[in-house]
Amino acid sequence: MDENTLKLLVRLTQEGQLSPLEEQISSGGSAAAHTVGSKHFGRSGDTLLHYAARLGHLNIVEYLIKQLGVDVEVYNNDYKRPLHEAASMSHKECVSYLLQNGAKVDSLKKADWTPLMMACTRRNLEVIQDLLSHGADPKLRNKDGWNSFHIACREGDPLVIEHLLLTAPDVWRTESKTRRTPLHTAAMHGCEEVVRILLERCGYTRDGTDSCGVTPFMDAVRNGHVSVARLLLELHQASPVAADVLGAQPVHQVAVTGQEEALRFLVQELSVDVNQRATDIQLTALHYAAKEGHASMIKTLLELGADLRVRDKKGRTALHMACIGQHAETVRMLLLLGLKDSEDASGTTARQLARKPGAVQAFQCGLSES
């Protein structure tokens, strides 16, 4: 078959047009039919069966397997089988058919993802149940150390989480290669109902940390999920002042990510010290916010009592940090707020750190207006 005919076959498959597809393939004879069935297309190396499974065209899936004898375990350049495709797109009928016709339930694609892991990226409990009923192992881990439960906790469907725990009660006892637990994942993504289930049904250690020393509470607040943070405080007695491996506490982390509501929650409701220092360099939340260029966060910090003139261990003020980050508007704002240029412990002024044209100009404008 010529290139145009092959492109037509792909299009007909993707559109789910079985009759025209059969006609085109039949016109080429039995040898052509065999060739087409095993043909890999494009950079991905997908076959017609991959296309049909991905798009949920069960009639074409049946035709390719039964009539053309396409191998149900055929894989593309990423080692994805048709079952991966159908599971990832929640096509239950295709998933069931592929499993009934010999598809291996725990086949691995690139990065060691199973069809069940792919299914858990969606909120389709029926597909997940079908895979589990055929023996899928929810405890298998991919190259990053994530199992299916980890992935489901990221998506946040309580029904899926409940079913996985029912099927494999110990599935929550897992960590990624960076020691992140499903509780970290659910907290980071603001999946409040899932966090509640994990806290009520699983035995996670209070303030358990990943390899960077980050706790689920930190994940929640630095991503702005205050309701999840409240839940962790209520049900897990999480610490609002625990520090990561660099000594940064939640108050510093929210300054980095610019989460003002979370900052107010920490300072006003939990009485966290807004001027608390982090790391051996003694940075404050104000330093972090200035380095990231969060002008609005700086204003909120000052409103909550942050000391504008505080210096870190190297003698740097927030103005130095804003210049290091080359944040022109933040530099200008700090100068207008009354922060003067000065030398740090090494004798370097903030102005000397402003290298990009915008930051230099902001410095000049700020000095003239202050």
Side-chain angles (χ1 to χ4, degrees):
M1 290 186 177
D2 60 31
E3 193 65 27
N4 288 333
T5 302
L6 291 173
K7 288 181 179 179
L8 175 61
L9 295 180
V10 170
R11 180 173 65 80
L12 292 173
T13 301
Q14 291 174 327
E15 293 176 354
Q17 298 189 47
L18 177 58
S19 294
L21 179 68
E22 285 182 296
E23 292 175 9
Q24 285 291 329
I25 293 176
S26 297
S27 66
S30 59
H34 176 76
T35 300
V36 167
S38 59
K39 171 72 175 175
H40 293 265
F41 298 87
R43 293 182 179 179
S44 63
D46 287 333
T47 65
L48 295 182
L49 186 55
H50 283 90
Y51 293 125
R54 182 185 306 144
L55 294 165
H57 299 315
L58 178 61
N59 56 347
I60 295 181
V61 169
E62 292 175 336
Y63 164 70
L64 293 170
I65 293 173
K66 291 302 184 184
Q67 300 301 316
L68 298 191
V70 177
D71 182 3
V72 73
E73 282 294 294
V74 65
Y75 54 84
N76 67 9
N77 294 341
D78 286 332
Y79 299 98
K80 289 174 80 172
R81 276 70 169 177
L83 184 59
H84 285 101
E85 300 285 6
S88 69
M89 300 304 291
S90 295
H91 296 308
K92 183 182 183 303
E93 291 184 340
C94 288
V95 167
S96 297
Y97 184 82
L98 290 166
L99 288 169
Q100 290 164 10
N101 282 273
K104 295 178 181 177
V105 72
D106 281 331
S107 57
L108 300 180
K109 78 169 192 71
K110 190 175 181 179
D112 295 338
W113 279 64
T114 67
L116 180 60
M117 292 175 192
M118 304 291 286
C120 285
T121 65
R122 303 275 180 167
R123 296 187 173 201
N124 191 315
L125 180 57
E126 288 187 338
V127 170
I128 292 168
Q129 288 174 321
D130 201 2
L131 290 163
L132 288 169
S133 70
H134 281 81
D137 186 352
K139 294 183 181 180
L140 292 178
R141 304 200 303 168
N142 64 20
K143 74 173 184 64
D144 296 315
W146 283 41
N147 66 15
S148 296
F149 191 70
H150 244 127
I151 295 163
C153 285
R154 182 187 65 191
E155 298 308 312
D157 188 333
L159 294 178
V160 171
I161 298 305
E162 293 276 12
H163 188 76
L164 287 169
L165 285 172
L166 180 65
T167 303
D170 290 333
V171 72
W172 63 271
R173 297 179 185 274
T174 185
E175 292 182 346
S176 71
K177 289 188 176 179
T178 56
R179 291 176 43 204
R180 292 182 61 75
T181 66
L183 182 59
H184 281 91
T185 301
M188 177 182 179
H189 290 276
C191 303
E192 186 173 350
E193 290 182 69
V194 170
V195 168
R196 183 180 293 278
I197 293 170
L198 297 181
L199 294 178
E200 291 177 345
R201 295 187 52 181
C202 307
Y204 287 108
T205 303
R206 175 177 173 267
D207 291 324
T209 61
D210 65 12
S211 58
C212 294
V214 173
T215 67
F217 182 87
M218 292 177 190
D219 268 328
V221 291
R222 68 182 182 179
N223 286 283
H225 306 307
V226 174
S227 62
V228 172
R230 292 184 196 279
L231 198 58
L232 287 161
L233 287 170
E234 175 190 347
L235 299 181
H236 218 216
Q237 292 75 54
S239 171
V241 292
D244 65 17
V245 294
L246 297 177
Q249 297 180 10
V251 70
H252 306 115
Q253 294 165 343
V254 300
V256 171
T257 57
Q259 297 293 343
E260 294 180 50
E261 181 190 357
L263 174 68
R264 292 184 183 279
F265 166 65
L266 291 169
V267 176
Q268 295 178 324
E269 294 189 38
L270 304 182
S271 300
V272 172
D273 182 4
V274 73
N275 289 308
Q276 178 66 41
R277 294 173 179 271
T279 78
D280 292 339
I281 305 176
Q282 299 292 291
L283 297 172
T284 67
L286 192 62
H287 285 95
Y288 283 110
K291 187 176 181 180
E292 297 298 324
H294 296 314
S296 180
M297 172 62 83
I298 290 173
K299 291 179 181 178
T300 302
L301 282 163
L302 294 175
E303 176 191 330
L304 295 173
D307 184 351
L308 185 63
R309 291 170 177 78
V310 69
R311 293 174 180 267
D312 68 7
K313 192 173 181 179
K314 294 184 178 181
R316 300 175 298 188
T317 66
L319 185 58
H320 285 87
M321 304 306 287
C323 289
I324 289 172
Q326 307 301 314
H327 299 297
E329 289 304 313
T330 306
V331 168
R332 183 172 179 274
M333 184 192 74
L334 289 169
L335 289 168
L336 292 174
L337 286 170
L339 195 54
K340 304 298 184 182
D341 191 14
S342 60
E343 294 182 347
D344 63 15
S346 68
T348 304
T349 66
R351 187 169 187 170
Q352 289 172 321
L353 295 169
R355 295 185 176 88
K356 289 188 177 180
V360 173
Q361 185 179 9
F363 214 106
Q364 294 168 342
C365 293
L367 287 174
S368 64
E369 295 176 22
S370 60

